[in-house]
Amino acid sequence: MKAPSDRSRLAGLARWLRRRAKAISSHAKVAIAPEPATSAAAQYCLGEYYRELGDRFDGGFDPELSLFPSLDEFAPPRGVFLVARLDGQPVGCGGLKPISADAAYLKRMWIAPDARGLGLARRLLSALEEQARLLGYSVMRLETNKTLVEAQQLYRSSGYCETPPFNDEPYAHYWFEKALHGGKGRATAARAALMPGESVPGLPLRTQAEPGGRGGN
C-alpha cells in the first residue's frame, strides 16, 4: 500500500485541526477577566510567555532586561491585568500600564500554543482595549519583536498602525498604536456604575467561546 504523501498528510492534519477548533469553540467556555498580575494563574501565563520568547527570540529573552519589568503598574487605578481561561484553565494573559495621561501601554499579551486558532487572541485584545477605554485612555501603544509574525498580523488587522519608536525597548523591532474612540465618555459612564469601594471597572467578559480570529502573540 502506497504511503500518503507529505502534502496529503498535512491536508489531513489541517482538516482535523479545523474540526477540533470548531468542536472546542462550540462547547468550551471562555472567561476573560481582571486579576492581579501576581496571582497563580497570571504567574503561570507569564512564565510560559517568557519561556516561549526565550525559545523564539534571537539571543533569548530576559524579562529583567525589558523595559518596565515590574508588575506593579498593572494594578489599579491606572493599570489592569487580564487572564483568559478556557474551561477554567488559564490559557492567556495581557496587561495595560500607563505610558502617558492618555495612552495605555499593552504588555505581556500571550495565548497558549494549544489554544491558538480559536480567536482567543483577538478577543483578548478587544477586552484589553475595552478596559483601556474604561480607564480613560484614548490611545493604545505597544511594541513587538520581528519573530512574532502572528502578533504583527493580529495588530495590523485590528486597526493598529506602525509608528516610529516611542521607547528604547531592547527586544522591539516594530512599534504600533491605535486610537480608542469614545474612551473618556464611556469611562465616565462605567465609573458611575461602580459599586462603592470598587476600584477597577468591571466588564461582562464571561462569554461562550465563538469561532474567529487567529490566536497567539
Side-chain angles (χ1 to χ4, degrees):
M1 181 175 179
K2 186 177 180 180
S5 67
D6 289 343
R7 179 175 294 181
S8 64
R9 284 198 298 269
L10 288 173
L13 177 60
R15 288 193 296 271
W16 180 83
L17 288 172
R18 285 195 295 270
R19 290 196 300 270
R20 179 176 180 270
K22 184 175 181 180
I24 291 175
S25 63
S26 298
H27 300 97
K29 291 183 179 179
V30 174
I32 303 175
E35 65 181 80
T38 55
S39 73
Q43 288 295 297
Y44 166 77
C45 289
L46 287 170
E48 292 299 304
Y49 169 72
Y50 297 152
R51 186 175 295 109
E52 180 174 351
L53 296 191
D55 291 339
R56 296 181 65 174
F57 285 7
D58 297 335
F61 176 76
D62 182 348
E64 294 301 318
L65 299 179
S66 179
L67 284 184
F68 312 114
S70 171
L71 301 178
D72 295 343
E73 290 182 289
F74 287 131
R78 297 290 288 158
V80 69
F81 196 84
L82 300 184
V83 171
R85 286 180 168 82
L86 185 64
D87 281 340
Q89 300 301 312
V91 295
C93 65
L96 300 176
K97 299 183 176 189
I99 196 170
S100 71
D102 295 325
Y105 185 29
L106 173 60
K107 295 289 285 183
R108 308 308 187 220
M109 183 171 162
W110 172 81
I111 295 292
D114 289 346
R116 294 174 191 172
L118 305 177
L120 295 182
R122 195 171 300 276
R123 293 177 64 183
L124 177 57
L125 180 60
S126 179
L128 286 160
E129 292 173 355
E130 187 65 14
Q131 285 283 354
R133 292 186 186 97
L134 290 171
L135 290 171
Y137 295 111
S138 58
V139 176
M140 287 269 281
R141 290 183 181 149
L142 60 94
E143 76 275 318
T144 191
N145 187 273
K146 64 183 180 181
T147 65
L148 303 180
V149 177
E150 65 275 39
Q152 297 164 39
Q153 294 172 342
L154 172 66
Y155 298 137
R156 293 182 195 278
S157 66
S158 299
Y160 286 78
C161 298
E162 192 171 345
T163 68
F166 54 79
N167 61 26
D168 57 354
E169 167 60 56
Y171 295 107
H173 298 97
Y174 299 96
W175 287 258
F176 293 91
E177 75 172 30
K178 178 181 179 177
L180 301 174
H181 302 293
K184 291 186 177 179
R186 294 175 69 169
T188 300
R191 289 194 181 98
L194 291 177
M195 297 296 290
E198 218 175 350
S199 59
V200 181
L203 283 178
L205 293 172
R206 184 175 294 274
T207 59
Q208 292 294 319
E210 55 192 59
R214 179 183 180 126
N217 87 312

